[in-house]
Coordinates of all heavy atoms in Angstrom, one line a residue:
M8 N 0.9 -1.2 0.0 CA 0.0 0.0 0.0 C 0.9 1.2 0.0 O 1.8 1.4 0.8 CB -0.9 0.0 1.3 CG -1.8 1.1 1.3 SD -3.0 0.8 2.7 CE -2.6 2.2 3.7
L9 N 0.6 2.2 -0.9 CA 1.4 3.4 -1.0 C 0.8 4.5 -0.2 O -0.4 4.8 -0.2 CB 1.4 3.8 -2.5 CG 2.2 5.1 -2.8 CD1 3.7 4.8 -2.5 CD2 2.0 5.5 -4.2
T10 N 1.6 5.0 0.7 CA 1.1 6.1 1.6 C 1.9 7.3 1.3 O 3.1 7.3 1.3 CB 1.3 5.7 3.1 OG1 0.7 4.4 3.3 CG2 0.7 6.7 4.0
T11 N 1.2 8.4 1.2 CA 1.8 9.7 0.9 C 1.6 10.6 2.2 O 0.5 10.7 2.7 CB 1.2 10.4 -0.3 OG1 1.3 9.5 -1.4 CG2 1.9 11.7 -0.6
Y12 N 2.7 11.1 2.7 CA 2.6 12.0 3.8 C 2.7 13.4 3.4 O 3.6 13.8 2.7 CB 3.7 11.7 4.8 CG 3.6 10.4 5.5 CD1 4.4 9.3 5.0 CD2 2.7 10.1 6.5 CE1 4.3 8.1 5.6 CE2 2.6 8.9 7.1 CZ 3.4 7.9 6.7 OH 3.3 6.7 7.3
Y13 N 1.7 14.2 3.8 CA 1.8 15.6 3.6 C 2.3 16.2 4.9 O 1.5 16.3 5.9 CB 0.4 16.2 3.3 CG -0.1 15.6 1.9 CD1 -1.1 14.6 1.9 CD2 0.4 16.2 0.8 CE1 -1.5 14.2 0.6 CE2 0.0 15.7 -0.5 CZ -1.0 14.7 -0.5 OH -1.4 14.3 -1.7
Y14 N 3.5 16.6 4.9 CA 4.2 17.0 6.2 C 3.5 18.2 6.8 O 3.4 18.3 8.0 CB 5.7 17.2 5.9 CG 6.4 16.0 5.5 CD1 6.8 15.8 4.2 CD2 6.6 15.0 6.4 CE1 7.4 14.7 3.8 CE2 7.3 13.8 6.0 CZ 7.7 13.7 4.7 OH 8.3 12.5 4.3
I15 N 3.1 19.2 6.0 CA 2.4 20.3 6.6 C 1.1 20.0 7.3 O 0.8 20.4 8.4 CB 2.2 21.4 5.5 CG1 3.6 21.9 5.0 CG2 1.4 22.6 6.0 CD1 3.5 22.8 3.8
D16 N 0.3 19.1 6.6 CA -0.9 18.7 7.2 C -0.7 17.9 8.5 O -1.4 18.1 9.5 CB -1.7 17.8 6.2 CG -2.3 18.6 5.1 OD1 -2.3 19.9 5.2 OD2 -2.6 18.0 4.1
L17 N 0.4 17.0 8.4 CA 0.7 16.2 9.6 C 1.1 17.1 10.8 O 0.7 17.0 11.9 CB 1.8 15.3 9.2 CG 2.0 14.1 10.1 CD1 0.7 13.2 10.1 CD2 3.2 13.3 9.6
Y18 N 1.9 18.2 10.5 CA 2.4 19.1 11.5 C 1.2 19.9 12.1 O 1.1 20.0 13.3 CB 3.4 20.1 10.9 CG 3.9 21.1 11.9 CD1 4.8 20.8 12.9 CD2 3.4 22.4 11.8 CE1 5.2 21.8 13.8 CE2 3.8 23.4 12.7 CZ 4.7 23.0 13.7 OH 5.0 24.0 14.6
N19 N 0.3 20.3 11.2 CA -0.9 21.1 11.7 C -1.8 20.3 12.6 O -2.3 20.7 13.5 CB -1.6 21.7 10.5 CG -0.9 22.8 9.8 OD1 0.0 23.4 10.4 ND2 -1.3 23.1 8.6
K20 N -1.9 19.0 12.2 CA -2.7 18.1 13.0 C -2.1 17.9 14.4 O -2.8 17.7 15.4 CB -3.0 16.8 12.3 CG -4.0 16.9 11.2 CD -4.2 15.6 10.5 CE -5.2 15.8 9.3 NZ -5.3 14.7 8.5
Q21 N -0.8 17.8 14.4 CA -0.1 17.5 15.7 C -0.2 18.8 16.6 O -0.3 18.7 17.8 CB 1.3 17.2 15.5 CG 1.6 15.8 14.9 CD 3.0 15.6 14.5 OE1 3.8 16.5 14.6 NE2 3.3 14.4 14.1
T22 N -0.1 19.9 16.0 CA -0.1 21.2 16.8 C -1.4 21.8 17.0 O -1.5 22.8 17.7 CB 0.9 22.2 16.2 OG1 0.4 22.5 14.9 CG2 2.3 21.7 16.1
Q23 N -2.5 21.2 16.5 CA -3.8 21.8 16.5 C -4.3 21.9 18.0 O -4.9 22.9 18.4 CB -4.7 20.9 15.7 CG -6.0 21.7 15.2 CD -6.7 20.8 14.2 OE1 -6.6 19.6 14.2 NE2 -7.5 21.4 13.4
N24 N -4.1 20.8 18.7 CA -4.7 20.8 20.1 C -3.6 21.2 21.2 O -3.9 21.1 22.4 CB -5.2 19.4 20.4 CG -6.4 19.1 19.5 OD1 -7.2 20.0 19.2 ND2 -6.5 17.9 19.1
R25 N -2.5 21.6 20.7 CA -1.4 22.0 21.7 C -1.7 23.4 22.2 O -2.1 24.3 21.5 CB -0.1 22.0 20.9 CG 1.1 22.3 21.8 CD 2.4 22.2 20.9 NE 2.3 23.1 19.8 CZ 2.7 24.4 19.8 NH1 3.0 25.0 21.0 NH2 2.6 25.2 18.8
P26 N -1.5 23.6 23.5 CA -1.8 24.9 24.1 C -0.7 25.9 23.6 O 0.4 25.5 23.2 CB -1.7 24.7 25.6 CG -1.0 23.5 25.8 CD -1.2 22.6 24.5
E27 N -1.1 27.1 23.5 CA -0.2 28.2 23.0 C 0.9 28.4 24.0 O 0.6 28.6 25.2 CB -1.0 29.5 22.8 CG -0.4 30.6 22.1 CD -1.3 31.7 21.8 OE1 -2.1 32.0 22.7 OE2 -1.2 32.3 20.8
S28 N 2.2 28.5 23.6 CA 3.3 28.8 24.5 C 3.3 30.3 24.9 O 2.6 31.1 24.2 CB 4.6 28.4 23.9 OG 4.9 29.3 22.9
E29 N 4.1 30.6 25.9 CA 4.1 32.0 26.3 C 4.7 32.9 25.3 O 4.2 34.0 25.0 CB 5.0 32.0 27.6 CG 5.0 33.4 28.3 CD 5.8 33.4 29.6 OE1 6.2 32.3 30.0 OE2 5.9 34.4 30.2
R30 N 5.8 32.4 24.6 CA 6.4 33.2 23.5 C 5.4 33.4 22.4 O 5.3 34.5 21.8 CB 7.6 32.4 23.0 CG 8.4 33.2 21.9 CD 9.6 32.4 21.4 NE 10.3 33.2 20.5 CZ 10.0 33.4 19.2 NH1 9.0 32.8 18.7 NH2 10.8 34.1 18.4
E31 N 4.7 32.3 22.0 CA 3.7 32.5 20.9 C 2.6 33.5 21.3 O 2.1 34.3 20.5 CB 3.1 31.1 20.6 CG 4.0 30.2 19.9 CD 3.5 28.8 19.8 OE1 2.5 28.5 20.5 OE2 4.0 28.0 19.0
Y32 N 2.2 33.4 22.6 CA 1.2 34.4 23.0 C 1.6 35.8 22.9 O 0.9 36.7 22.4 CB 0.8 34.0 24.5 CG 0.0 35.1 25.2 CD1 -1.4 35.2 24.9 CD2 0.5 36.0 26.0 CE1 -2.2 36.1 25.5 CE2 -0.3 36.9 26.7 CZ -1.6 37.0 26.4 OH -2.4 38.0 26.9
F33 N 2.9 36.1 23.4 CA 3.4 37.4 23.3 C 3.6 37.9 21.9 O 3.4 39.1 21.6 CB 4.6 37.6 24.2 CG 4.4 37.6 25.7 CD1 4.9 36.6 26.5 CD2 3.6 38.6 26.2 CE1 4.6 36.6 27.8 CE2 3.3 38.7 27.6 CZ 3.8 37.7 28.4
M34 N 4.1 37.0 21.0 CA 4.2 37.4 19.7 C 2.9 37.7 19.0 O 2.8 38.6 18.2 CB 5.0 36.2 18.9 CG 6.4 36.0 19.3 SD 7.4 37.5 19.2 CE 7.6 37.6 17.4
R35 N 1.9 36.9 19.3 CA 0.5 37.1 18.8 C 0.0 38.5 19.3 O -0.6 39.3 18.5 CB -0.4 36.0 19.1 CG -1.8 36.2 18.6 CD -2.7 35.0 18.9 NE -2.8 34.6 20.3 CZ -3.6 35.2 21.1 NH1 -4.5 36.1 20.7 NH2 -3.7 34.8 22.4
M36 N 0.2 38.7 20.6 CA -0.3 40.0 21.1 C 0.4 41.2 20.5 O -0.2 42.2 20.2 CB -0.1 40.0 22.6 CG -1.0 39.0 23.4 SD -2.7 39.2 23.0 CE -3.1 40.7 23.9
A37 N 1.7 41.0 20.2 CA 2.5 42.1 19.6 C 2.0 42.4 18.2 O 1.9 43.5 17.8 CB 4.0 41.8 19.6
R38 N 1.7 41.3 17.4 CA 1.2 41.4 16.1 C -0.1 42.1 16.1 O -0.4 43.0 15.3 CB 1.1 40.1 15.4 CG 2.4 39.6 14.8 CD 2.1 38.4 13.9 NE 1.3 37.3 14.5 CZ 1.8 36.3 15.2 NH1 3.1 36.2 15.4 NH2 1.0 35.4 15.7
E39 N -1.0 41.7 17.0 CA -2.3 42.3 17.1 C -2.2 43.8 17.5 O -3.0 44.6 17.0 CB -3.2 41.6 18.1 CG -3.6 40.2 17.6 CD -4.4 39.4 18.7 OE1 -4.6 40.0 19.8 OE2 -4.8 38.3 18.4
M40 N -1.3 44.2 18.4 CA -1.2 45.6 18.8 C -0.7 46.4 17.7 O -1.1 47.5 17.5 CB -0.3 45.7 20.0 CG -0.9 45.2 21.3 SD 0.2 45.1 22.7 CE 0.6 46.9 22.9
E41 N 0.3 45.8 16.9 CA 0.8 46.5 15.7 C -0.3 46.8 14.7 O -0.4 47.9 14.1 CB 1.9 45.7 15.1 CG 2.6 46.4 13.9 CD 3.3 47.7 14.3 OE1 3.7 47.8 15.5 OE2 3.5 48.5 13.4
Q42 N -1.1 45.8 14.5 CA -2.3 45.9 13.5 C -3.2 47.0 14.0 O -3.8 47.8 13.3 CB -3.0 44.6 13.3 CG -2.2 43.6 12.6 CD -1.8 44.0 11.2 OE1 -2.6 44.7 10.5 NE2 -0.6 43.8 10.8
M43 N -3.5 47.0 15.4 CA -4.3 48.1 15.9 C -3.7 49.5 15.7 O -4.5 50.4 15.4 CB -4.6 47.8 17.4 CG -5.8 47.0 17.7 SD -6.3 46.9 19.4 CE -4.9 47.3 20.4
R44 N -2.4 49.6 16.0 CA -1.8 50.9 15.7 C -1.9 51.3 14.3 O -2.2 52.5 14.0 CB -0.3 50.8 16.2 CG -0.1 51.1 17.6 CD 1.4 51.3 17.9 NE 1.7 50.3 18.9 CZ 2.6 49.3 18.8 NH1 3.2 49.1 17.7 NH2 2.8 48.4 19.8
I45 N -1.7 50.4 13.4 CA -1.8 50.8 12.0 C -3.2 51.2 11.6 O -3.4 52.2 10.9 CB -1.4 49.6 11.1 CG1 0.1 49.3 11.2 CG2 -1.8 49.7 9.6 CD1 0.6 48.0 10.6
A46 N -4.2 50.5 12.2 CA -5.6 50.9 11.9 C -5.9 52.2 12.5 O -6.7 53.0 11.9 CB -6.5 49.8 12.5
E47 N -5.4 52.5 13.7 CA -5.7 53.8 14.3 C -5.0 54.9 13.5 O -5.6 56.0 13.3 CB -5.1 53.8 15.7 CG -6.0 53.0 16.7 CD -5.3 52.9 18.1 OE1 -4.2 53.4 18.2 OE2 -5.9 52.2 18.9
K48 N -3.8 54.7 13.0 CA -3.2 55.8 12.2 C -3.9 56.0 10.9 O -4.1 57.1 10.5 CB -1.7 55.3 11.9 CG -0.7 55.5 13.0 CD 0.6 55.0 12.5 CE 1.7 55.1 13.6 NZ 3.0 54.7 13.1
R49 N -4.4 54.9 10.3 CA -5.2 55.0 9.1 C -6.5 55.8 9.3 O -6.9 56.6 8.5 CB -5.5 53.6 8.6 CG -6.0 53.6 7.2 CD -6.1 52.2 6.7 NE -4.8 51.6 6.4 CZ -4.5 50.3 6.7 NH1 -5.4 49.5 7.1 NH2 -3.2 49.9 6.4
A50 N -7.1 55.5 10.4 CA -8.4 56.2 10.8 C -8.1 57.7 11.0 O -8.9 58.5 10.6 CB -9.1 55.5 12.0
A51 N -7.0 58.0 11.7 CA -6.7 59.4 12.0 C -6.4 60.1 10.7 O -6.8 61.3 10.5 CB -5.5 59.5 12.9
R52 N -5.7 59.5 9.8 CA -5.3 60.1 8.5 C -6.6 60.3 7.7 O -6.8 61.4 7.1 CB -4.4 59.2 7.7 CG -3.8 59.9 6.5 CD -2.8 59.0 5.8 NE -1.9 58.3 6.7 CZ -1.7 57.0 6.7 NH1 -2.4 56.2 6.0 NH2 -0.8 56.5 7.6
K53 N -7.5 59.4 7.7 CA -8.8 59.5 7.0 C -9.6 60.7 7.6 O -10.2 61.4 6.9 CB -9.6 58.2 7.1 CG -10.9 58.2 6.3 CD -11.6 56.9 6.5 CE -12.9 57.0 5.8 NZ -13.7 55.7 5.9
Q54 N -9.6 60.8 8.9 CA -10.4 61.9 9.6 C -9.8 63.2 9.2 O -10.5 64.2 9.0 CB -10.4 61.7 11.1 CG -11.1 62.7 11.8 CD -12.6 62.7 11.5 OE1 -13.2 61.7 11.2 NE2 -13.2 63.9 11.4
Q55 N -8.4 63.3 9.1 CA -7.8 64.6 8.7 C -8.2 65.0 7.3 O -8.5 66.1 7.1 CB -6.3 64.4 8.9 CG -5.8 64.5 10.3 CD -4.3 64.2 10.3 OE1 -3.7 63.8 9.4 NE2 -3.7 64.6 11.5
L56 N -8.2 64.0 6.4 CA -8.6 64.3 5.0 C -10.0 64.7 4.9 O -10.3 65.7 4.2 CB -8.3 63.1 4.1 CG -6.9 62.8 3.8 CD1 -6.7 61.5 3.1 CD2 -6.3 63.9 2.9
V57 N -10.9 64.0 5.7 CA -12.3 64.4 5.6 C -12.5 65.8 6.2 O -13.2 66.6 5.6 CB -13.1 63.4 6.4 CG1 -14.5 63.9 6.7 CG2 -13.2 62.1 5.7
S58 N -11.8 66.1 7.3 CA -12.0 67.5 7.8 C -11.4 68.5 6.9 O -11.9 69.7 6.8 CB -11.4 67.6 9.2 OG -10.0 67.3 9.1
L59 N -10.3 68.2 6.2 CA -9.7 69.1 5.3 C -10.6 69.4 4.1 O -10.8 70.6 3.8 CB -8.3 68.5 4.7 CG -7.7 69.4 3.7 CD1 -7.1 70.6 4.3 CD2 -6.6 68.5 3.0
F60 N -11.2 68.4 3.5 CA -12.1 68.6 2.4 C -13.4 69.3 2.9 O -14.0 70.1 2.1 CB -12.5 67.3 1.7 CG -11.3 66.8 0.9 CD1 -10.8 65.5 1.1 CD2 -10.8 67.6 -0.1 CE1 -9.8 65.0 0.3 CE2 -9.8 67.1 -0.9 CZ -9.3 65.8 -0.7
A61 N -13.8 69.1 4.1 CA -15.0 69.8 4.6 C -14.7 71.3 4.8 O -15.5 72.1 4.5 CB -15.4 69.2 5.9
A62 N -13.5 71.6 5.3 CA -13.1 73.0 5.4 C -13.0 73.7 4.1 O -13.4 74.8 3.9 CB -11.7 73.1 6.1
I63 N -12.5 73.0 3.1 CA -12.4 73.6 1.7 C -13.8 73.8 1.2 O -14.1 74.8 0.6 CB -11.6 72.6 0.8 CG1 -10.1 72.7 1.2 CG2 -11.7 73.1 -0.7 CD1 -9.2 71.6 0.5
A64 N -14.7 72.8 1.3 CA -16.0 72.9 0.8 C -16.8 74.1 1.5 O -17.5 74.8 0.9 CB -16.8 71.6 1.0
K65 N -16.5 74.2 2.8 CA -17.2 75.3 3.6 C -16.6 76.7 3.1 O -17.4 77.6 3.0 CB -16.9 75.1 5.0 CG -17.7 76.0 5.9 CD -17.5 75.6 7.4 CE -18.4 76.5 8.3 NZ -18.2 76.1 9.7
R66 N -15.3 76.7 2.8 CA -14.7 78.0 2.4 C -15.3 78.5 1.1 O -15.5 79.7 0.9 CB -13.2 77.8 2.4 CG -12.5 79.1 2.1 CD -11.0 78.8 2.2 NE -10.2 80.0 1.9 CZ -9.7 80.8 2.8 NH1 -9.9 80.5 4.1 NH2 -9.0 81.9 2.5
F67 N -15.5 77.6 0.2 CA -16.0 77.9 -1.2 C -17.5 77.8 -1.3 O -18.0 77.9 -2.4 CB -15.3 77.1 -2.2 CG -13.8 77.3 -2.4 CD1 -12.9 76.4 -2.0 CD2 -13.4 78.6 -3.0 CE1 -11.5 76.7 -2.1 CE2 -12.1 78.8 -3.1 CZ -11.1 77.9 -2.7
N68 N -18.2 77.6 -0.2 CA -19.6 77.5 -0.2 C -20.1 76.5 -1.2 O -21.1 76.7 -1.9 CB -20.3 78.9 -0.5 CG -20.1 79.8 0.7 OD1 -20.0 79.4 1.8 ND2 -20.1 81.1 0.5
V69 N -19.5 75.4 -1.2 CA -20.0 74.3 -2.0 C -21.0 73.5 -1.3 O -20.8 73.1 -0.1 CB -18.8 73.3 -2.4 CG1 -19.3 72.1 -3.2 CG2 -17.7 74.1 -3.2
K70 N -22.2 73.3 -1.9 CA -23.3 72.6 -1.2 C -23.5 71.3 -2.0 O -23.5 71.3 -3.2 CB -24.5 73.5 -1.2 CG -24.4 74.7 -0.3 CD -25.7 75.5 -0.3 CE -25.5 76.7 0.5 NZ -26.7 77.6 0.5
R71 N -23.7 70.3 -1.3 CA -24.1 69.0 -1.9 C -25.5 69.0 -2.4 O -26.4 69.5 -1.7 CB -23.8 67.9 -0.9 CG -22.4 67.7 -0.6 CD -22.2 66.5 0.4 NE -22.8 65.3 -0.3 CZ -22.1 64.3 -0.5 NH1 -20.8 64.2 -0.2 NH2 -22.6 63.2 -1.1
T72 N -25.7 68.4 -3.5 CA -27.1 68.3 -4.0 C -27.6 66.9 -3.6 O -26.8 66.0 -3.6 CB -27.1 68.5 -5.5 OG1 -26.2 67.5 -6.1 CG2 -26.7 69.9 -6.0
P73 N -28.9 66.8 -3.3 CA -29.4 65.5 -2.9 C -29.4 64.5 -4.0 O -29.2 63.3 -3.7 CB -30.8 65.8 -2.4 CG -31.1 67.2 -2.9 CD -29.9 67.9 -3.2
N74 N -29.6 64.8 -5.2 CA -29.6 63.8 -6.3 C -29.3 64.5 -7.6 O -29.2 65.7 -7.7 CB -30.9 63.0 -6.3 CG -32.1 64.0 -6.4 OD1 -32.0 65.1 -6.9 ND2 -33.2 63.5 -5.9
L75 N -29.2 63.7 -8.7 CA -28.9 64.2 -10.0 C -30.0 65.1 -10.6 O -29.8 66.0 -11.3 CB -28.5 63.1 -11.0 CG -27.1 62.5 -10.8 CD1 -27.0 61.3 -11.7 CD2 -26.1 63.5 -11.1
E76 N -31.3 64.7 -10.3 CA -32.4 65.4 -10.8 C -32.4 66.9 -10.4 O -32.7 67.8 -11.2 CB -33.7 64.8 -10.4 CG -34.0 63.5 -11.1 CD -33.2 62.3 -10.6 OE1 -32.7 62.4 -9.4 OE2 -33.1 61.3 -11.3
S77 N -32.0 67.1 -9.2 CA -31.9 68.5 -8.7 C -30.8 69.3 -9.4 O -30.9 70.5 -9.5 CB -31.8 68.6 -7.2 OG -30.5 68.0 -6.9
L78 N -29.8 68.6 -9.9 CA -28.8 69.3 -10.7 C -29.3 69.9 -12.0 O -29.0 71.0 -12.4 CB -27.6 68.4 -11.0 CG -26.6 68.1 -9.9 CD1 -25.6 67.1 -10.4 CD2 -25.9 69.4 -9.6
Y79 N -30.2 69.1 -12.6 CA -30.7 69.5 -13.9 C -32.0 70.3 -13.8 O -32.6 70.7 -14.8 CB -31.0 68.3 -14.8 CG -29.7 67.5 -15.0 CD1 -29.5 66.2 -14.6 CD2 -28.6 68.1 -15.7 CE1 -28.4 65.5 -14.9 CE2 -27.4 67.4 -15.9 CZ -27.3 66.1 -15.5 OH -26.1 65.5 -15.7
G80 N -32.5 70.5 -12.6 CA -33.7 71.3 -12.3 C -35.0 70.6 -12.6 O -36.0 71.2 -12.8
H81 N -35.0 69.3 -12.5 CA -36.2 68.5 -12.7 C -37.0 68.3 -11.4 O -36.4 68.2 -10.3 CB -35.9 67.1 -13.3 CG -35.4 67.3 -14.7 ND1 -36.2 67.3 -15.8 CD2 -34.1 67.3 -15.2 CE1 -35.5 67.4 -16.9 NE2 -34.2 67.4 -16.5

């Protein structure tokens, strides 16, 4: 009988029920914190852009129209 071993699958099955080590836990927490920092920076940058465009629109008295029909006067 020919048996093929998929080493990655075999490794994943062995480590599936293994508890997380202290080092793995801290590394995971560091990765999650880094992702949170990146998301916060991205949100802050987005907020700055939105406020900048809002200030420009307010300065030039640009008003948003509710829909295309009001643009054409229908």
Side-chain angles (χ1 to χ4, degrees):
M8 183 170 116
L9 181 64
T10 306
T11 305
Y12 291 103
Y13 294 103
Y14 296 107
I15 294 173
D16 290 342
L17 199 62
Y18 176 77
N19 288 340
K20 285 179 184 172
Q21 288 173 355
T22 59
Q23 203 170 24
N24 295 325
R25 184 178 56 84
E27 190 175 37
S28 72
E29 187 176 356
R30 182 182 186 281
E31 290 169 342
Y32 169 76
F33 284 117
M34 293 302 289
R35 181 174 57 84
M36 294 303 287
R38 280 193 306 271
E39 289 175 2
M40 287 175 63
E41 182 65 25
Q42 292 300 321
M43 268 192 336
R44 272 190 238 116
I45 290 170
E47 288 171 358
K48 284 182 183 179
R49 191 173 291 145
R52 191 178 314 124
K53 183 179 176 183
Q54 182 62 34
Q55 285 176 344
L56 284 173
V57 167
S58 63
L59 176 70
F60 286 124
I63 290 171
K65 190 175 183 181
R66 185 175 181 99
F67 290 110
N68 288 334
V69 176
K70 294 181 182 175
R71 294 181 58 120
T72 55
N74 53 27
L75 284 176
E76 287 79 18
S77 64
L78 280 176
Y79 300 120
H81 292 273

